[in-house]
Amino acid sequence: MTRQRERRAVLSGSVFEERIGCARAVVDGDQVYVSGTTGFDYATMTISDDVVEQAEQCLRNIGAALAEAGCTFADVVRVRYLLPAREDFEPCWPVLHRHFAEVRPAATMLECGLADPRMRIEIEVDARRGPVAGALRIETVDGERALEQWRDVHNAIVPPAALSLDDVRERAARYRLDNAYLGDVLVGCSTVRPPATAEDGTAHAATVIARVLPAYRGRSIGTALYERGMAHARVLGAEVVDTVVLAVNTEGLRFAQARGFTEVERYVLPGESAEWVDLRRAADDR
């Protein structure tokens, strides 16, 4: 059966979206189209008089829309700059360079009137969601900020097992915890629990769990986290590897099964209603 292509709108809360009948961005499959975005702070619907500050706010607004669409500035393939006064463009170059110098999207600048005389620059971008390749950064959790970020992803993916920061600190002392980022955007996390030896001295089993925020799935991030976790489990001497997934997380189950994990057990913990699934595979089964 052919998978239906995703199409959804991303809204920012701007009054213009409601009045005009548009979205801040539209996700259509792997394509993301961000509307012309101006320097309004949508929370207060205020705008600076300074064109450079407007450019900064434009890009903050665009960055928020891209994040909700599961993208970052690294995914931008085209950008269009619209300004009523072309002499205002060059002062904005340092701001634009900071966001796009490494990406190098196709770009166009147009001199034209904008909808409100207070607007001095408008920016729109097109992006494409695909495998992240070299754009992904995975780091072992170190420091309070990284602990908080790991907890944020964990609790978003498995709310029935939500952890406090103290819980995460305790886990970090015993397990390998990693965070995954696209640029500075947090997109996932992982856990590697060291091998546990059975009473008879056999079945050295480690646990590897990869978690990716829903908006960023389907971009090979889970695979990168999983492969890094499996490599560490082998270094630790694991003979078999376990993972655990919420039963309602059908994407997670498919991900595990596609990588050779076989279901071992389903259960509900005492006092809870969520069903969990334990799965297992050999550590050296590539």
Side-chain angles (χ1 to χ4, degrees):
M1 182 171 64
T2 302
R3 183 179 177 181
Q4 186 174 3
R5 188 167 73 175
E6 174 194 25
R7 188 183 190 280
R8 64 182 174 91
V10 174
L11 304 178
S12 67
S14 165
V15 298
F16 301 113
E17 295 167 20
E18 181 63 28
R19 292 175 180 174
I20 298 171
C22 62
R24 178 56 42 210
V26 172
V27 179
D28 187 19
D30 289 333
Q31 303 301 124
V32 179
Y33 306 95
V34 181
S35 294
T37 302
T38 62
F40 273 94
D41 179 337
Y42 297 133
T44 60
M45 286 311 295
T46 58
I47 190 168
S48 170
D49 293 330
D50 182 76
V51 67
V52 176
E53 292 182 13
Q54 286 195 25
E56 292 270 20
Q57 185 63 50
C58 285
L59 293 168
R60 282 194 289 271
N61 295 338
I62 289 170
L66 289 172
E68 190 169 342
C71 291
T72 70
F73 283 102
D75 299 302
V76 173
V77 296
R78 170 167 280 282
V79 57
R80 300 172 184 84
Y81 306 106
L82 296 83
L83 296 94
R86 61 188 178 190
E87 60 269 21
D88 279 347
F89 189 43
E90 188 169 351
C92 298
W93 288 358
V95 175
L96 309 178
H97 183 274
R98 189 165 69 247
H99 286 79
F100 295 117
E102 294 185 7
V103 185
R104 298 300 177 107
T108 302
M109 180 269 176
L110 296 173
E111 184 179 27
C112 61
L114 298 180
D116 187 313
R118 293 173 292 175
M119 300 173 180
R120 298 180 64 183
I121 185 170
E122 184 171 321
I123 303 173
E124 68 174 67
V125 304
D126 299 339
R128 182 181 181 277
R129 300 190 302 178
V132 294
L136 183 67
R137 175 168 52 92
I138 301 176
E139 297 181 352
T140 299
V141 167
D142 183 22
E144 287 296 296
R145 178 58 180 152
L147 287 168
E148 291 173 1
Q149 292 178 324
W150 188 95
R151 181 189 61 174
D152 289 345
V153 175
H154 175 278
N155 291 355
I157 302 300
V158 285
L163 300 174
S164 70
L165 192 54
D166 283 340
D167 292 331
V168 179
R169 291 191 189 100
E170 188 272 335
R171 292 194 178 202
R174 296 187 293 124
Y175 306 151
R176 163 82 165 263
L177 307 183
D178 287 346
N179 285 334
Y181 305 87
L182 285 180
D184 294 327
V185 179
L186 178 70
V187 297
C189 76
S190 66
T191 302
V192 180
R193 300 173 189 161
T197 306
E199 291 182 0
D200 62 1
T202 61
H204 298 269
T207 300
V208 175
I209 305 172
R211 309 174 190 87
V212 179
L213 293 172
Y216 296 93
R217 291 173 184 169
R219 304 193 61 192
S220 302
I221 297 168
T223 298
L225 282 166
Y226 163 76
E227 290 177 350
R228 177 178 165 105
M230 287 294 291
H232 186 60
R234 294 186 189 105
V235 168
L236 294 174
E239 297 175 6
V240 294
V241 175
D242 294 337
T243 195
V244 57
V245 184
L246 270 175
V248 296
N249 182 3
T250 55
E251 287 183 83
L253 285 172
R254 285 196 297 267
F255 179 90
Q257 291 162 350
R259 282 150 186 83
F261 284 90
T262 301
E263 183 175 328
V264 175
E265 182 183 10
R266 292 187 178 230
Y267 54 92
V268 176
L269 295 173
E272 297 186 4
S273 58
E275 184 180 35
W276 299 86
V277 183
D278 284 348
L279 303 101
R280 174 168 288 192
R281 56 158 283 180
D284 60 355
D285 182 5
R286 306 299 177 96

